[in-house]
Amino acid sequence: MRITDDISIEDWELTEQFIRASGPGGQNVNKVSTAVELRFEAERSPNLPGPVKTRLRRLAGRRWTKDGALVLQVDETRSQARNRDIARDRLAELIRQALVKPKRRIATKPTLGSKKRRLKAKKERGEVKALRGKVDPAP
């Protein structure tokens, strides 16, 4: 399975298991295993670099297993072949997202003008609050 020009997934890294889907579908749901569970052995994959695996683990969330596999379940359609294609597309999209390096944030100092404006606003707010004192009862 081709992800990008330089990254592809071998067949041994993917395992597909077909299970019964829940939801609408009448008798078809009870008889046919249309839902697909795609398991990708991401941790053992020689084609994914280390940083990509780390980002993929973060993106996968609960779908990442303890033994380093990514498990995707799809039961959107009543067609087994279509569910299989959807699962493979989702896996490819997740890997493409993991390939994107996040930009490093460059720390900046606040300008002198912004510091002065902040302090002026604080001072004004404090003056407003200072006026909220107790009122002495009239004799």
Side-chain angles (χ1 to χ4, degrees), residues 95-120:
I95 294 172
R96 279 191 209 100
Q97 286 176 8
L99 286 170
V100 178
K101 271 188 179 176
K103 283 186 180 176
R104 291 280 307 265
R105 185 187 178 280
I106 299 166
T108 57
K109 281 170 62 175
T111 61
L112 184 64
S114 70
K115 286 181 189 175
K116 286 184 177 176
R117 281 192 300 275
R118 188 181 129 264
L119 291 175
K120 183 177 173 238

Side-chain angles (χ1 to χ4, degrees), residues 115-133:
K115 286 181 189 175
K116 286 184 177 176
R117 281 192 300 275
R118 188 181 129 264
L119 291 175
K120 183 177 173 238
K122 278 175 69 77
K123 187 92 176 143
E124 285 174 3
R125 191 76 191 134
E127 287 169 2
V128 166
K129 288 186 172 189
L131 295 173
R132 293 184 192 154

Side-chain angles (χ1 to χ4, degrees), residues 4-124:
T4 61
D5 293 336
D6 44 326
I7 292 182
S8 62
I9 296 172
E10 305 299 324
D11 288 335
W12 66 267
E13 297 174 88
L14 295 175
T15 339
E16 288 174 337
Q17 185 179 357
F18 297 100
I19 49 179
R20 287 204 182 123
S22 60
Q27 259 186 329
N28 195 53
V29 168
N30 303 327
K31 294 192 297 185
V32 185
S33 298
T34 54
V36 67
E37 184 179 272
L38 182 70
R39 185 181 176 88
F40 170 53
E41 300 296 335
E43 201 65 58
R44 298 187 320 173
S45 176
N47 300 323
L48 292 180
V52 174
K53 287 180 188 176
T54 308
R55 289 193 290 267
L56 186 61
R57 182 184 298 126
R58 193 176 297 121
L59 282 170
R62 285 189 356 220
R63 297 174 288 192
W64 191 271
T65 63
K66 286 181 183 149
D67 51 308
L70 176 66
V71 179
L72 296 172
Q73 279 191 340
V74 179
D75 62 348
E76 285 183 10
T77 66
R78 289 168 66 171
S79 161
Q80 192 181 70
R82 185 73 192 108
N83 283 337
R84 187 171 177 248
D85 291 340
I86 292 170
R88 285 174 176 256
D89 291 344
R90 282 189 190 165
L91 175 65
E93 189 54 42
L94 264 175
I95 294 172
R96 279 191 209 100
Q97 286 176 8
L99 286 170
V100 178
K101 271 188 179 176
K103 283 186 180 176
R104 291 280 307 265
R105 185 187 178 280
I106 299 166
T108 57
K109 281 170 62 175
T111 61
L112 184 64
S114 70
K115 286 181 189 175
K116 286 184 177 176
R117 281 192 300 275
R118 188 181 129 264
L119 291 175
K120 183 177 173 238
K122 278 175 69 77
K123 187 92 176 143
E124 285 174 3

